[in-house]
Amino acid sequence: MLRRFLERSITMAGVCGDVYDEAERTQDIQDLDSIQAKFIGRAAFWWNTTYDTREDSLHFARTYVNTRRLLAQDSTLIVQGAVFEFIRGRNETTSSADRIRIPGWVLRAWGQKPDTVRYFVSANIAFVPNDTLDPTRNDRSQVFEVPDVTRLEARMWLYYRACSYLATGIEALHLGQMQLMARKDESNDYAATRELLDKIRRFAQEGAPGFAQPNGLTGTRRKWVVLDCHSKRLIRSRGQDLFDFYSMPVRSGKLYTSANTKSFYSEGVYGTEMVLNSCGTEESLYQDHEGPGLFLVELDNGLSSRLAPDIRPEFVMWGWDEISWFGSQPAAYRADWLRYVHRWLACNDPQVLLQMPGRRGLSLFDENKQERHPQYRFNGTQLEKKRIREIWEGRYDSLVPLYSVPDARAARSLTIEADGAIYWVDSTTHTIESARWNAAAPVPGWVRSRVGAAADAAGDLVVEYPGSLFYRTLKNQVEYYKLDNATQRWVHYSTGGPANVGGHLVFENAGTFLNPQITPTLYYRSLDGRLEYLQFVDSTSTWAHQRVRRVRVDDTPGAIVSVATGVVACIAGRNLRVFERRGQRWTNQSPWDGKNDVQSHLVWYKEREQPHPLASQGRFYYRTVTNDLGANRYDHVTHKWDSFSYADVLNVGGDIIVKDPAELLYRTTDHRIASLRWGCPEGAGQGPGWVPSTYVGVQNCYQNLVRQRDNSFFFLGPQSTVHYLTWEGIKCLPPRPAVEADQTPDAGARGARREKRPATGNE
């Protein structure tokens, strides 16, 4: 029954307890009924609010009136209040709590004289000064003091707030970061925490002597209370779970892109995606949570970075807090993202449910770096409100965002220029075709066009930069088009190079994924199997033809890759070969222990940006002869090689894409799209390894898999038709094998497997 309520939960911070525009509140309450919400989260709470006894009484009276309004529309609702971990700011000596009188019914419940007239004492609620177990003493991110539940005054304070909310018609309580408040209690089997929660549950059943509740009842309406807190770990006492469910912030990982992307939206998006698993404590929110039990993930609020939005990889959600990131995105993206996360959780972790964002304060900084706190409201546009209703009605339970580009058939050599813009060679007409997504049109859709008029394209399309497109002709020469920005027409050029181009065109690229620095040097495999290149000479504005020694290049997809300026690698005789240009000569820097297993789809991933001292390090990835994913680490300045290693997947079909330092994507042998993320398959704290997953619903990916910046994928399907999977495609972990309680993993075997796995940037 609880699960059915949580499946329709929505955060509506302060909808019952806050003072805000009554017309907005009326609209909020009506819209909650229109989407048929069943669990109204955070409807009333106190956080450093400047209340005295009278103002606190008004707060609870207001909460009662508005809770009653919610229940008048649907008497089965569960309305939730919150009793947070805040008591006063760090280094402050007083709190609003010091101005609130302790009611007699609270004193009686805790064995005190009920006729005593005194106020709460925040100094007796917080941890004792310099207590080494004070969890926020040295935490710069939480500059406040928390109640210490082992102190009687703290338990009385928490009991007072909890039961006062229950007396207004509220039947659920969120107790914030209870593990902070119970830090000292953990070593005592959470005895004080258990005593507090037992008393709260008893109040829900029986009320409290001497307490005339605003709603005229004794205890709660249905004689129970649902308790939760923020924790990934169950809080147990005497072997019993003290809470009914747990909540967690939905800290999704930032998509690894160089800037905000419009892609399928008319406005720029700073995209994020759910992380399947990692070995860190911040991002590992799903597969390493403790069970059994129910969990909610929510778009929490806090303090955003003044640098947000920041593109550096270390920032989660671009530096915003969760709800501020969400509220800063276009409404259409927000609606799609809710659908995406709902499906992602159902696919990967059915115990975890999404609490929809409804009403919550944002943390945003203006151009003067001054923080402001506007409210996010789910009914600010019709898109989110409509989408939440559709999700809860199950309209997207089986959605796979897999589509086809209209009339894009007989395609080969698919490539991407930028967001939503794709190019391919029509193998029937030998023309270069283009399609660009128009998100601003009255009905968004694909706009088809042809690049130039020449019908001489054989394949090997490669983008130098937006508006510059090179290709191999039917006469085995390299020619190219450049877009004239003034006329928006493609202008055709020729390199004047020899008619010996067999294919595998690759530009010299000295940059990282986030910062490519393409130079006008174009490597290729000649018709007689040699590694050659064309280099643009600025002084003469011509292309010079050169050869990289007398290297035989295998005629296999992805046989050539550029490592840095003047450094090129290739597959030769199923071995990895690397050559460095020194003046007019090319020197061999290949690994000495070639494995003779490099089959195809060689890629290079540079790990660092200049001027980092390790900016010359990177990894080669490739498809092996056994369809495994192989890797070799290399430093192109010191020429140091690490040993070959493997991922043990045996289903790599090709088109390997390095998405970020910890994730690889590829096309499988059975025409699916797969992911390998470096994480902890056995849970956080265990040994790292590759965590495999697949994109559900994709069974027609035959060749030319490419990724655009927003994490959408394009590929060629049966009959060479152009298909695409938009960014909200769901990745699912394979089912875990059941392990008996008395079974233990073989440590030696597990250790041996780890040695074979490639290291990543998260090692």
Side-chain angles (χ1 to χ4, degrees):
M1 182 180 289
L2 176 58
R3 182 184 180 95
R4 289 200 294 270
F5 279 97
L6 298 183
E7 285 173 343
R8 289 181 173 241
S9 61
I10 184 169
T11 302
M12 290 296 297
V15 66
C16 293
D18 279 6
V19 176
Y20 71 99
D21 184 85
E22 283 303 315
E24 279 192 10
R25 194 195 312 268
T26 298
Q27 187 66 54
D28 290 343
I29 291 173
Q30 291 175 353
D31 288 340
L32 287 172
D33 185 58
S34 73
I35 63 173
Q36 297 183 3
K38 287 296 182 183
F39 188 95
I40 314 301
R42 316 292 178 84
F45 58 88
W46 177 94
W47 183 287
N48 198 28
T49 313
T50 54
Y51 289 162
D52 55 21
T53 299
R54 185 186 70 85
E55 291 164 331
D56 213 23
S57 298
L58 291 175
H59 168 71
F60 291 122
R62 184 166 53 249
T63 300
Y64 163 63
V65 169
N66 292 312
T67 302
R68 189 176 180 183
R69 292 173 66 188
L70 281 170
L71 296 173
Q73 297 193 135
D74 184 353
S75 63
T76 67
L77 283 179
I78 295 179
V79 184
Q80 182 196 58
V83 182
F84 287 116
E85 65 275 11
F86 180 94
I87 186 59
R88 64 184 184 185
R90 176 67 59 190
N91 300 322
E92 293 182 0
T93 58
T94 61
S95 162
S96 293
D98 296 291
R99 299 191 296 156
I100 297 174
R101 179 177 172 178
I102 306 177
W105 58 270
V106 173
L107 293 166
R108 180 181 292 107
W110 292 92
Q112 309 292 301
K113 294 181 178 180
D115 55 351
T116 302
V117 177
R118 77 173 185 87
Y119 294 77
F120 287 106
V121 180
S122 61
N124 295 336
I125 295 173
F127 279 77
V128 173
N130 300 317
D131 189 328
T132 57
L133 291 178
D134 182 348
T136 65
R137 186 168 62 125
N138 298 314
D139 188 347
R140 294 183 179 180
S141 66
Q142 301 192 98
V143 289
F144 56 86
E145 296 185 54
V146 304
D148 174 5
V149 77
T150 65
R151 306 187 77 180
L152 176 61
E153 192 86 356
R155 297 198 295 281
M156 291 171 60
W157 166 254
L158 297 171
Y159 177 81
Y160 159 69
R161 300 219 66 82
C163 297
S164 297
Y165 283 129
L166 297 184
T168 67
I170 280 173
E171 294 175 292
L173 293 170
H174 173 73
L175 297 181
Q177 297 187 71
M178 192 70 213
Q179 286 184 322
L180 298 183
M181 295 186 281
R183 179 65 57 83
K184 291 183 70 172
D185 201 27
E186 183 177 1
S187 61
N188 195 33
D189 193 35
Y190 293 109
T193 306
R194 183 181 65 245
E195 179 188 29
L196 170 65
L197 301 190
D198 283 350
K199 285 184 180 292
I200 293 173
R201 293 187 193 279
R202 190 173 304 120
F203 179 91
Q205 292 180 326
E206 305 170 359
F211 184 17
Q213 298 182 193
N215 60 6
L217 301 177
T218 300
T220 60
R221 295 183 303 131
R222 289 175 279 199
K223 304 303 179 185
W224 44 252
V225 57
V226 176
L227 300 179
D228 83 291
C229 69
H230 263 167
S231 177
K232 292 195 294 178
R233 300 287 169 260
L234 307 186
I235 299 178
R236 296 187 179 94
S237 179
R238 297 177 183 172
Q240 182 181 26
D241 189 354
L242 296 181
F243 289 88
D244 299 296
F245 71 94
Y246 293 86
S247 300
M248 303 180 292
V250 60
R251 301 197 68 182
S252 56
K254 180 184 67 179
L255 278 176
Y256 215 69
T257 58
S258 58
N260 66 314
T261 173
K262 291 185 179 181
S263 62
F264 294 102
Y265 301 93
S266 57
E267 303 169 68
V269 170
Y270 292 85
T272 72
E273 68 172 345
M274 303 290 274
V275 177
L276 279 166
N277 202 317
S278 74
C279 295
T281 57
E282 291 300 312
E283 292 181 355
S284 295
L285 293 177
Y286 309 104
Q287 276 65 45
D288 68 339
H289 64 74
E290 192 175 3
L294 292 172
F295 291 80
L296 279 185
V297 288
E298 60 173 338
L299 289 152
D300 206 353
N301 65 335
L303 177 65
S304 296
S305 167
R306 284 179 168 82
L307 299 175
D310 195 286
I311 67 171
R312 287 179 291 177
E314 60 266 28
F315 277 87
V316 176
M317 295 185 122
W318 302 89
W320 283 295
D321 67 30
E322 292 85 1
I323 190 63
S324 299
W325 164 81
F326 185 77
S328 299
Q329 306 312 305
Y333 178 85
R334 295 197 300 258
D336 286 347
W337 194 85
L338 294 178
R339 178 184 66 191
Y340 157 70
V341 176
H342 171 79
R343 286 284 296 123
W344 191 98
L345 292 171
C347 184
N348 290 285
D349 207 338
Q351 283 179 268
V352 181
L353 307 170
L354 173 64
Q355 185 164 25
M356 296 294 177
R359 182 179 190 270
R360 203 152 205 175
L362 308 181
S363 170
L364 301 175
F365 289 88
D366 60 23
E367 61 276 7
N368 298 316
K369 302 304 180 184
Q370 297 297 310
E371 189 179 16
R372 54 190 182 88
H373 297 279
Q375 285 285 336
Y376 168 77
R377 296 172 68 225
F378 79 106
N379 47 5
T381 72
Q382 293 299 308
L383 286 172
E384 292 107 298
K385 183 174 72 172
K386 178 176 180 289
R387 184 58 52 82
I388 291 171
R389 175 72 180 264
E390 292 170 344
I391 291 169
W392 286 349
E393 290 177 348
R395 299 193 199 178
Y396 295 103
D397 285 352
S398 59
L399 172 76
V400 177
L402 183 61
Y403 311 94
S404 298
V405 177
D407 300 320
R409 304 184 182 92
R412 65 168 60 159
S413 192
L414 183 67
T415 191
I416 289 179
E417 178 193 79
D419 298 335
I422 59 174
Y423 302 94
W424 68 92
V425 172
D426 188 305
S427 59
T428 303
T429 63
H430 301 292
T431 55
I432 299 175
E433 304 295 320
S434 173
R436 183 179 296 273
W437 183 261
N438 184 359
V443 178
W446 290 101
V447 178
R448 289 283 306 277
S449 63
R450 178 166 290 175
V451 177
D456 64 344
D460 293 294
L461 287 181
V462 57
V463 173
E464 181 185 22
Y465 53 80
S468 178
L469 189 66
F470 285 67
Y471 67 99
R472 176 174 56 89
T473 71
L474 293 172
K475 295 180 179 180
N476 297 313
Q477 292 180 300
V478 174
E479 300 187 357
Y480 59 103
Y481 283 97
K482 287 186 178 292
L483 183 66
D484 186 301
N485 290 324
T487 63
Q488 287 298 295
R489 295 174 64 87
W490 290 94
V491 181
H492 182 262
Y493 299 90
S494 175
T495 62
N500 73 335
V501 181
H504 312 303
L505 275 61
V506 172
F507 270 104
E508 191 170 70
N509 188 330
T512 62
F513 178 85
L514 288 179
N515 187 27
Q517 299 167 12
I518 293 174
T519 61
T521 298
L522 190 64
Y523 297 98
Y524 64 90
R525 179 184 184 273
S526 69
L527 289 175
D528 61 355
R530 304 297 183 181
L531 179 57
E532 304 186 4
Y533 63 99
L534 293 165
Q535 188 173 37
F536 188 74
V537 181
D538 288 328
S539 59
T540 61
S541 296
T542 59
W543 291 85
H545 171 245
Q546 304 287 340
R547 175 178 290 176
V548 181
R549 302 182 61 168
R550 295 183 63 84
V551 182
R552 282 275 181 191
V553 179
D554 294 357
D555 189 10
T556 184
I560 303 172
V561 65
S562 174
V563 173
T565 301
V567 183
V568 63
C570 67
I571 303 172
R574 288 189 171 177
N575 281 298
L576 174 58
R577 305 291 298 276
V578 177
F579 300 93
E580 181 182 18
R581 185 174 57 231
R582 295 181 178 177
Q584 299 301 313
R585 296 175 57 86
W586 288 87
T587 61
N588 189 349
Q589 304 294 345
S590 305
W592 63 270
D593 59 342
K595 297 296 184 180
N596 197 37
D597 73 340
V598 186
Q599 179 167 315
S600 64
H601 296 93
L602 182 67
V603 297
W604 164 259
Y605 183 78
K606 185 179 178 181
E607 298 171 353
R608 307 281 187 170
E609 298 275 2
Q610 300 287 2
H612 194 282
L614 300 180
S616 57
Q617 291 185 357
R619 289 179 179 83
F620 290 103
Y621 294 102
Y622 60 92
R623 178 193 181 199
T624 73
V625 294
T626 59
N627 297 328
D628 199 355
L629 187 136
N632 206 177
R633 192 169 185 173
Y634 178 60
D635 188 315
H636 66 79
V637 170
T638 65
H639 310 301
K640 180 181 177 181
W641 290 90
D642 285 350
S643 60
F644 287 83
S645 54
Y646 306 92
D648 298 329
V649 288
L650 305 181
N651 69 341
V652 179
D655 299 326
I656 300 166
I657 300 168
V658 185
K659 181 179 158 294
D660 63 41
E663 186 175 5
L664 301 170
L665 303 161
Y666 61 91
R667 169 175 52 82
T668 70
T669 54
D670 59 349
H671 313 305
R672 298 178 182 271
I673 301 174
S675 161
L676 282 175
R677 172 165 286 278
W678 190 256
C680 291
E682 294 94 10
Q686 302 298 316
W690 287 114
V691 181
S693 59
T694 58
Y695 284 80
V696 298
V698 179
Q699 302 178 41
N700 62 344
C701 180
Y702 280 69
Q703 56 182 316
N704 277 169
L705 174 66
V706 288
R707 170 186 178 259
Q708 71 175 22
R709 291 192 306 179
D710 71 346
N711 213 34
S712 298
F713 297 97
F714 292 82
F715 56 88
L716 299 183
Q719 289 79 50
S720 297
T721 51
V722 180
H723 299 270
Y724 62 101
L725 178 72
T726 56
W727 66 268
E728 70 268 33
I730 309 300
K731 285 187 290 187
C732 269
L733 285 172
R736 291 186 178 182
V739 178
E740 299 297 332
D742 59 348
Q743 286 183 320
T744 56
D746 182 274
R750 188 175 65 230
R753 287 199 303 273
R754 285 194 202 123
E755 288 180 4
K756 293 182 70 178
R757 289 166 175 155
T760 72
N762 280 10
E763 63 190 24

